[in-house]
Amino acid sequence: MSETKTAKQTVVENGTEFEGVVRSQCPIVVSGQLKGEVTAPTLTLKPEGSVYGKVKVSQLKSEGSLGGEIDAESVELSGSISDDTVIRAAALEVKLNQSAGSKLRVSFGNCELQVGDPAAKAKPEVQGNTSHKKEHAGPELARVN
């Protein structure tokens, strides 16, 4: 008999509330409520799910409610972003979400978006040679009110 391998993932189901620190080496999928510190390779937030706290992941896909301090390489947003949220990402994609019986929308509270390569630093100016220009390749900052 052949064994079918199911990809491992950490799941917070609808109706489940978790508060604390979650560190996972496999993807996390949230349909319930998660509050606290989250570290994982990927975090997927379903439309009925919510995550509030400090999040550090490589990839984030949020269709639910998101808030806190978010650090990720790649972020895909559709759903709602709470007030006082900071999102730092190398890449950010915003997709429109259609709730039952409503118009397409993405809802942002009063939040801060930092998009770009966080490792990029301002290059020092070379003295004595005017042919070199001072360059800045840091992340772009967008404030959403």
Side-chain angles (χ1 to χ4, degrees):
M1 284 190 172
S2 66
E3 241 179 78
T4 57
K5 290 187 178 182
T6 306
K8 291 183 180 182
Q9 60 183 11
T10 301
V11 178
V12 179
E13 286 291 346
N14 195 355
T16 302
E17 295 179 23
F18 182 87
E19 189 169 342
V21 177
V22 178
R23 290 186 189 98
S24 181
Q25 293 182 357
C26 56
I28 298 175
V29 178
V30 179
S31 296
Q33 293 181 353
L34 182 56
K35 293 180 184 177
E37 188 177 319
V38 180
T39 305
T42 63
L43 175 63
T44 301
L45 194 52
K46 298 295 185 179
E48 62 278 4
S50 63
V51 172
Y52 299 98
K54 189 170 185 171
V55 176
K56 187 168 179 102
V57 296
S58 292
Q59 294 181 314
L60 170 66
K61 180 179 180 182
S62 177
E63 298 176 89
S65 202
L66 183 66
E69 188 176 329
I70 316 301
D71 286 296
E73 290 175 25
S74 173
V75 176
E76 183 180 311
L77 297 175
S78 61
S80 64
I81 311 304
S82 299
D83 284 345
D84 300 321
T85 296
V86 175
I87 298 175
R88 288 183 285 273
L92 174 67
E93 182 177 350
V94 178
K95 291 189 172 187
L96 296 177
N97 186 11
Q98 186 169 15
S99 302
S102 68
K103 295 181 179 180
L104 292 172
R105 68 178 209 157
V106 175
S107 173
F108 285 89
N110 183 12
C111 64
E112 184 177 310
L113 304 175
Q114 296 178 15
V115 181
D117 185 4
K121 305 249 185 213
K123 294 181 182 177
E125 189 173 340
V126 177
Q127 293 183 358
N129 186 348
T130 58
S131 65
H132 289 71
K133 295 179 184 175
K134 187 175 182 180
E135 296 179 21
H136 178 70
E140 294 179 36
L141 178 63
R143 185 121 182 112
V144 179
N145 291 320

